[in-house]
Each structure stands twice: as C-alpha cells, then as structure tokens.
Amino acid sequence: MAEAKTGPKIEDMSFEEALDELKTLVGRLESGEAPLDEAIEAYELGARLKAHCEAKLRQAQERIDKITLGPDGLPKTEPFETE
C-alpha cells in the first residue's frame, strides 16, 4: 500500500491516480490481510482519497457546464444532469 508520506500528496494526485490508490486500498481491506492498525490507517486514507476524487469530479462537472453550446452555436451554461 502506498503511503501518503512516501508517494505524491493527495492534493497533487490526478483523479485517476487517486482512484487507483483507492481501489488498491479497498482490495487490501476486503482481503482482511491488513493488521487492525494498518486497516484503520488505510480506511482514513481511503476517506481522504474519496473526498479528493469527488472534488475532482465536481471540478470536471463545472468545466462541462461552462462549455455547453446552445442551438445557436453560442456558449451557454446549463446544469450537468446525470440519469
């Protein structure tokens, strides 16, 4: 498991890097192979990674909102909707 101290800081990670790290942590936690203290640290790190990923997704959503074009070809802002 990559530690925040030895790897890149979470705030410097791309969405993909943070998501990959989160997947690794989840797999390790699900396997049950980590000692309790390490599992707690992994859970805490996972919570920070999750928050970082959510922030990156919000930023991407805002960018999408800003580049929507209207039927006249002029840019306009519309809310991003998911199904």
Side-chain angles (χ1 to χ4, degrees):
M1 169 175 66
E3 295 292 327
K5 293 177 246 171
T6 59
K9 291 181 181 179
I10 292 174
E11 59 270 9
D12 295 336
M13 290 180 163
S14 69
F15 173 81
E16 293 79 10
E17 290 169 330
L19 187 59
D20 286 344
E21 182 68 18
L22 185 55
K23 287 178 184 178
T24 300
L25 287 172
V26 168
R28 186 155 167 81
L29 288 170
E30 287 179 343
S31 74
E33 64 187 59
L36 180 60
D37 287 342
E38 187 178 322
I40 292 169
E41 288 177 18
Y43 184 84
E44 291 170 344
L45 177 57
R48 292 193 307 272
L49 288 164
K50 177 183 174 281
H52 179 71
C53 287
E54 289 171 343
K56 288 287 190 183
L57 288 174
R58 277 192 305 277
Q59 291 170 355
Q61 181 176 329
E62 290 170 3
R63 290 183 66 195
I64 290 168
D65 288 347
K66 291 179 183 176
I67 60 172
T68 301
L69 297 178
D72 57 1
L74 297 175
K76 68 178 191 175
T77 300
E78 294 180 5
F80 179 78
E81 296 179 26
T82 59
E83 296 180 351

